Amino acid sequence: MPLTALALNCTLSPSPAESSTELLAQQVLDALAEHDVSGSMIRVVDHDVRPGVELDMGDGDAWPNLREQLIASDILVLATPTWLGQHSSVCQRVLERLDAELSETDEQGRLLTYGKVAVVVVVGNEDGAHHISAVAFQSLNDVGFTIPAGGVTYWNGEAMHGTDYKDLESTPDTVASTTRTLAANAAHLARLLGTAGYPSSNAG
């Protein structure tokens, strides 16, 4: 059963700047490809995603097009850098726009995101990955996504140092192993949901 994944790279750096977040997110997509999951990536900051909690905020809002690609995918890879111990403002914008999914249901009363898996990618030079993934997991689950076991991969550099993930000579073994596990679990869960989804919300 072929699957698709969409990575939303929430770096603050517009293209074509290098991005540690993009590097780790791409590694997740590469790992998913080993499980017959085709993937693509969008650098959100390159698009005019307006603030708000509606499906379309009008006036050239880029979110409807991004959302269309998200809804067409089986797996969402939400990737964010760490700033001041928090996820990026771009990531927060994405989470806020996903709030509109609470009003979108299928003919059986289920959210359109109910059959979709979400995983999280975090990079940064200070601690914060556990906090960020906890916030992201709760937010994504609130709007209908299912989180697999081992649903986050991350890298945090040594405190008070300036090394970026993209500057490492090689991927640390622990990060690579965690990424492989994330990909295997996400693909497995997405296939299960694709063949045996959640029950109708209209049942009972």
Side-chain angles (χ1 to χ4, degrees):
M1 176 181 170
L3 298 172
T4 58
L6 176 68
L8 294 181
N9 174 8
C10 297
T11 178
L12 299 182
S13 302
S15 299
E18 292 185 341
S19 165
S20 291
T21 308
E22 181 164 314
L23 174 58
L24 186 50
Q26 185 59 54
Q27 290 173 343
V28 169
L29 292 179
D30 292 343
L32 284 167
E34 297 178 8
H35 299 275
D36 297 321
V37 182
S38 60
S40 59
M41 190 180 321
I42 295 173
R43 191 178 292 208
V44 180
V45 75
D46 290 342
H47 304 268
D48 187 11
V49 176
R50 299 297 173 88
V53 292
E54 304 295 334
L55 291 178
D56 189 342
M57 298 306 298
D59 194 25
D61 181 22
W63 179 251
N65 178 260
L66 272 60
R67 176 186 178 270
E68 182 178 347
Q69 297 177 64
L70 186 154
I71 293 298
S73 300
D74 302 293
I75 300 171
L76 168 64
V77 180
L78 184 64
T80 180
T82 304
W83 290 110
L84 301 174
Q86 311 293 323
H87 54 277
S88 73
S89 57
V90 176
C91 182
Q92 181 63 27
R93 178 69 54 85
V94 168
L95 294 175
E96 289 166 351
R97 295 306 301 270
L98 285 172
D99 183 77
E101 299 306 324
L102 294 173
S103 301
E104 301 300 308
T105 58
D106 64 15
E107 64 279 0
Q108 298 186 55
R110 299 171 298 192
L111 296 182
L112 303 183
T113 49
Y114 265 21
K116 303 184 186 304
V117 170
V119 297
V120 177
V121 173
V122 184
V123 295
N125 292 326
E126 301 281 352
D127 190 24
H130 284 175
H131 165 72
I132 291 171
S133 59
V135 171
F137 285 168
Q138 182 63 52
S139 300
L140 292 166
N141 187 254
D142 277 351
V143 297
F145 290 93
T146 301
I147 311 298
V152 62
T153 186
Y154 63 89
W155 178 83
N156 285 127
E158 190 175 352
M160 310 300 288
H161 284 247
T163 301
D164 286 338
Y165 184 67
K166 60 182 173 57
D167 297 327
L168 300 179
E169 294 183 0
S170 61
T171 301
D173 291 341
T174 51
V175 176
S177 175
T178 300
T179 297
R180 288 193 298 270
T181 299
L182 175 149
N185 290 352
H188 175 71
L189 180 57
R191 287 195 169 89
L192 289 177
L193 289 174
T195 57
Y198 290 107
S200 169
S201 297
N202 297 327

